[in-house]
Amino acid sequence: MSTSQRFDRGHTDDLMSFLAASPSPYHAVANAAERLEKAGFRQVAETDAWDGTSGGKYVLRGGAIVAWYVPEGAAPHTPFRIVGAHTDSPNLRVKPLPDTGAHGWRQIAVEIYGGPLMNSWLDRDLGLAGRLTLRDGSTRLVNVDRPLLRVPQLAIHLDRTVSTEGLKLDKQRHLQPVWGLGDDVRDGDLISFLEQEAGLPAGGTAGWDLMTHSVEPPAYLGRDRELVAGPRMDNLLSVHAATAALAAVATADGAASLPYIPVLAAFDHEENGSQSDTGADGPLLGTVLERSVFARGGSFEDRARAFAGTVCVSSDTGHAVHPNYAERHDPTHHPRAGGGPILKVNVNNRYATDGSGRAVWAAACEKAGVPFQSFVSNNSMPCGTTIGPITAARHGIRTVDIGVAILSMHSARELCSADDPFLLARALTAFLEG
C-alpha cells in the first residue's frame, strides 16, 4: 500500500489552504487565531488585567501568537505542555526607501531576510504581503497575491561561466525585482499602490513590514500525489499542526480534566536569531505563562513548580535524506519522507533534545500510533538550530526538538510527504493531552 492511500488528506488539504493564506507572519497568526476562535478561544489584551477563568485564550503580538487552554479547576502550579514553532520564513523584504529603478525599469529595493536559497527566487512570479502601520498606530494587513514582481536572471549568453562555474549572485545588485517600465521613479509609488490595494486613504501610512512571496499555490505532486510542494513549510507546517492539535485538545470530551495546560507558542524572527519582542529569545512566552499562573492566584513558588514540570516540544522542519546528495547526511541516520516526524539530536546543544526528552516524545508518538525517526547532522557539516535551545535556556523548561523531514529547505518552494503533516499533528495532539 502506498503512503498516498494510507491516510485521509483532509489535514493536508487544510495545510495547503493555510500556507496559501499566510504569505507573512502577520497573516499566519491572524489565520491561526481565526481557527482558535472557532474552537472557543478568545483574545486577551496584554494591557488588560487577566482573570483566572478556565477556557482557551490567546495573545497576538505582531507576527507571534501564544495560545493556551486552562482546564476547569487547574491549580496555580499546574504544569504546561508547550508546542513551540515559528512563523517567519526566508524571503526578500522591502527597504525603507522602496522605489528605485534603472535603464527604463522600475524596481523595488529589497533586503535579504534570513538565509534563502537565492536562486529559487529568480524568474518566479512574486506577490507582496505584510502589514501597513497607520499614523494612529493601528495596522492593516495587505496581500497582493498576484504576479507583481519578478527577479529576472541574466541570460546565459551574457554570462557563459554559469555553465562551468555555477551561478553567483551578489545580494545587493542581483536580487532587486522589477515591477514596471519607465524612468519616472517617484518616491511613494509602492506605498501609494498598496494603500489603494488595502482600501486605505492616500498618505495615511507611517510604516510598513512587507515581503515577497511566490504566488504559485501549494500543490500535490507525483504519480500518486504522495508529495506536497509549497511555500513557507519552514515553518508554517508546524504552526498549522500545532494550531490543529491545540484546538482538538481544547474541544475534546476530556478537556476539562487535562493534567496539563496545553500551549501553542508561535514566534517571529527565528530565521535571524529570535532576538526581538516577538522572538523566542524575548520575554513573551515567559510573561504569558507567569501571568497565567498569577491570574489563578499563584505565587512565585507556584510559578517555579509549574515551570519545573513543564515540557516544550520545539517543532520545526528538518532534513529528509536527499537522494542526489546522500553523502551530505549522517550515514546511519537517514530520515525518509513519509516515515513520520523526526526527533532532532545534537550533543552540542544546537537542538535541545536529551534522553529524558526523547522518552516524552516517544511516549506521545506511541500513544498516537505514529512512527518517528531520529535525525543527527553529519559530523563534518555544521548543524542548524531552532528555538528549542533558546526556550530551554531562557525559561529553564525541558525542551525536545522535533519536526517533519522536508527537501529544499529555505527555497521559495519546499517539498514534503503528503502524510507527514497529519502524522505530526496527531503526535502533537497526544503530547498536549499528556
Side-chain angles (χ1 to χ4, degrees):
M1 179 182 293
S2 72
T3 55
S4 65
Q5 298 171 307
R6 193 176 300 164
F7 302 113
D8 174 57
R9 288 293 166 79
H11 178 89
T12 305
D13 291 341
D14 191 60
L15 167 64
M16 293 164 70
S17 297
F18 184 81
L19 293 173
S22 304
S24 78
Y26 316 110
H27 290 82
V29 298
N31 288 323
E34 181 180 1
R35 291 159 186 259
L36 291 173
E37 290 271 358
K38 293 178 180 178
F41 285 69
R42 61 180 178 86
Q43 184 176 0
V44 293
E46 294 185 80
T47 53
D48 291 344
W50 291 5
D51 59 46
T53 56
S54 60
K57 306 170 186 180
Y58 68 90
V59 165
L60 287 180
R61 182 193 290 184
I65 181 171
V66 180
W68 65 103
Y69 179 83
V70 181
E72 293 180 11
H77 60 270
T78 300
F80 301 92
R81 280 281 174 114
I82 306 167
V83 179
H86 67 88
T87 61
D88 59 320
S89 302
N91 54 23
L92 311 177
R93 302 206 171 187
V94 175
K95 288 183 176 181
L97 300 175
D99 299 294
T100 186
H103 307 292
W105 296 97
R106 299 177 66 189
Q107 295 176 274
I108 301 299
V110 296
E111 190 173 4
I112 311 302
Y113 179 82
L117 286 172
M118 293 186 294
N119 62 292
S120 71
W121 291 88
L122 301 178
D123 295 331
R124 188 179 294 274
D125 295 340
L126 303 176
L128 200 59
R131 65 177 181 179
L132 302 176
T133 301
L134 308 184
R135 297 189 184 279
D136 62 3
S138 63
T139 59
R140 181 71 63 87
L141 296 183
V142 62
N143 180 16
V144 183
D145 194 30
R146 64 178 186 272
L148 179 69
L149 310 171
R150 189 177 180 91
V151 182
Q153 188 169 186
L154 184 65
I156 192 171
H157 313 77
L158 302 179
D159 183 10
R160 296 289 184 179
T161 63
V162 168
S163 299
T164 57
E165 300 178 13
L167 179 65
K168 297 178 182 179
L169 295 173
D170 183 289
K171 293 180 180 180
Q172 177 61 37
R173 293 185 296 125
H174 298 156
L175 292 170
Q176 308 306 310
V178 300
W179 76 311
L181 299 174
D183 295 309
D184 56 336
V185 175
R186 296 180 296 273
D187 290 342
D189 270 3
L190 176 66
I191 301 306
S192 176
F193 165 75
L194 293 175
E195 286 174 336
Q196 293 177 21
E197 290 287 313
L200 296 171
T205 300
W208 50 87
D209 302 278
L210 301 166
M211 59 207 71
T212 57
H213 67 275
S214 170
V215 299
E216 185 181 0
Y220 287 108
L221 184 148
R223 183 192 66 183
D224 297 321
R225 293 162 57 88
E226 295 175 293
L227 303 170
V228 170
R232 299 176 295 281
M233 290 185 184
D234 178 15
N235 186 33
L236 294 188
L237 188 157
S238 293
V239 174
H240 175 262
T243 302
L246 180 59
V249 170
T251 55
D253 290 341
S257 56
L258 287 169
Y260 300 97
I261 295 174
V263 180
L264 160 66
F267 301 101
D268 201 352
H269 301 131
E270 188 272 347
E271 296 293 355
N272 61 10
S274 295
Q275 292 185 321
S276 70
D277 69 321
T278 53
D281 204 18
L284 179 60
L285 175 60
T287 299
V288 169
L289 299 184
E290 289 176 348
R291 291 185 68 176
S292 176
V293 170
F294 299 150
R296 285 176 280 122
S299 62
F300 181 81
E301 181 72 9
D302 292 311
R303 179 262 188 214
R305 293 174 65 188
F307 277 44
T310 292
V311 183
C312 175
V313 161
S314 166
S315 182
D316 203 346
T317 53
H319 303 294
V321 62
H322 197 300
N324 300 337
Y325 300 90
E327 73 280 0
R328 301 297 183 100
H329 301 264
D330 182 87
T332 59
H333 294 75
H334 278 179
R336 300 167 65 101
I342 56 174
L343 177 75
K344 303 180 184 180
V345 179
N346 180 266
V347 294
N348 293 302
N349 286 339
R350 298 293 285 174
Y351 304 130
T353 306
D354 62 9
S356 63
R358 185 187 192 281
V360 171
W361 183 242
C365 289
E366 182 179 1
K367 178 181 178 181
V370 169
F372 75 91
Q373 312 173 79
S374 294
F375 171 85
V376 295
S377 289
N378 186 309
N379 283 327
S380 63
M381 312 266 311
C383 180
T385 191
T386 68
I387 65 167
I390 294 172
T391 304
R394 183 171 182 85
H395 306 295
I397 290 173
R398 181 168 40 158
T399 304
V400 189
D401 271 294
I402 60 96
V404 163
I406 70 171
L407 293 183
S408 305
M409 187 184 294
H410 285 199
S411 171
R413 280 179 78 80
E414 297 160 324
L415 185 70
C416 76
S417 159
D419 291 322
D420 279 339
F422 169 72
L423 293 175
L424 174 65
R426 196 156 78 176
L428 292 179
T429 302
F431 166 75
L432 290 177
E433 289 172 343

